[in-house]
Amino acid sequence: MSPVRALAPVMEAAPSPSITLADVRAAAARIAGAVIRTPTIRCDALSRATGATIHLKLDNLQATGAFKERGAANRIALLTARERAAGVIAMSAGNHAQAVARHASLAGINATIVMPRFTPATKVTRTEGWGAKVVLHGETLAEAAAHAHELALRDGLTFVHPYDDPGVIAGQGTAALEMLEDFPQLDTLAIPVGGGGLLAGCATAALELKPGIRVFGVEVEGYPAMAQRLAGQPVAVGGPTVAEGIAVRDVGEVPYAMLKRLGTEMLVVPERAVEQAIAMLAEGAKLVAEGAGAAGLAAVLAYPERFAGKAVGIPVCGGNIDARALSNVLLRQLLRDGRILRLHFDIPDRPGMLADIAARISALGGNVIEVNHQQLFGAPTVQSTELYLMVEVRDGAQGNAIIAALQAASYVVRRG
């Protein structure tokens, strides 16, 4: 008979940090008065356009223009007396920087924000305007983050992570708490995902408050890091995006673990859907949203079958979009909708041709807003002229009618 060997004790992994609805409720009490309790509105224009009943949580109305204030305010309120005396440090090139700077200033705490050297001057100025010391370091966010951790260790500062911190996550979850308090009938949420803090906080609060509610995370196609992690795939992200606020490669380990436990489903949306959502929010809801702030609506546009007939809550979680980027998005959407036509003609070089074309367009209600008349160098022969027109119309049907009328008058017209 072989000897019995004693089995070594099984060492269980320590549970990863998490939060509950009670933590979110406690965060709501802490940040009351320091963070705006933004309205949630039902938007009839977007509801008609999408086939879902759309409710928008207007966190673009926060003092710094984004939801990040919730997590920053809660985390700073949780600091010990020693941590408050030493000060805080954060790394961010965007909304988190201003949120930490603002709430540290309100609490009388010194704040240092490390930003990459490429950070636009306007963001640096705004962050400094909230009273923070800004340190520009590194060419990438990763380099800036590493330097921030070095300074935290050297100077005894508390690092306020933008999403990988239970206190921050609980603060972000107050957005869902407020949405469901205002509209208990919501049965679906579509939450943008960068590092995962907003989704983890909102999913936790919503599922505990209203079991059975569907909560979707939304990522843009170039940066589906959380979707890849949850699917057990290697993370492969990159490229330009209008949703730079959620263009994250390294998602938070705490949010990842929480979302994995909750079984949260991710939806990955194309860049074009994000641009369309920005334009629809501007025209239909009269709201300015950055790309990340429009991602929830983009999911409704990209996956209509998931949301048809549902009462959907969407946080417009940020409104800090560059004015030129907003202008370009709106113009691109007008072109896609057929409300702006780009027309190209090769016409004989004779007096009155341009006037005749313009008159025919005007007769059908079109408005010529730009003219490019190449007589010398662009035309194929010296007897012809190359003409480009940009024409404003009501819709695609009116545009098609204008093109048909020009073709009936023997003009050769190409859409540019």
Side-chain angles (χ1 to χ4, degrees), residues 149-197:
H149 281 290
E150 290 171 3
L151 293 178
L153 197 61
R154 187 192 74 185
D155 299 334
L157 307 176
T158 297
F159 187 86
V160 180
H161 199 283
Y163 44 81
D164 209 11
D165 182 299
V168 170
I169 294 169
Q172 316 301 29
T174 60
L177 185 65
E178 291 174 10
M179 272 195 284
L180 286 167
E181 287 174 349
D182 291 346
F183 288 94
Q185 69 269 33
L186 293 177
D187 54 35
T188 308
L189 302 181
I191 311 293
V193 180

Side-chain angles (χ1 to χ4, degrees), residues 300-325:
V300 179
L301 300 175
Y303 299 89
E305 72 285 353
R306 302 291 188 96
F307 299 94
K310 303 294 186 182
V312 185
I314 297 172
V316 183
C317 53
N320 294 320
I321 186 171
D322 177 77
R324 185 170 60 84

Side-chain angles (χ1 to χ4, degrees), residues 43-44 46-55 300 304 307-312:
C43 184
D44 290 338
L46 296 185
S47 298
R48 290 195 303 271
T50 61
T53 305
I54 302 297
H55 300 77
V300 179
F307 299 94
K310 303 294 186 182
V312 185

Side-chain angles (χ1 to χ4, degrees), residues 3 61 88 96 144 174 192 200 265 315 328 382 385 403:
L61 300 181
V88 297
H96 181 63
T174 60
E265 185 175 355
N328 287 344
V382 295
T385 294
I403 292 172

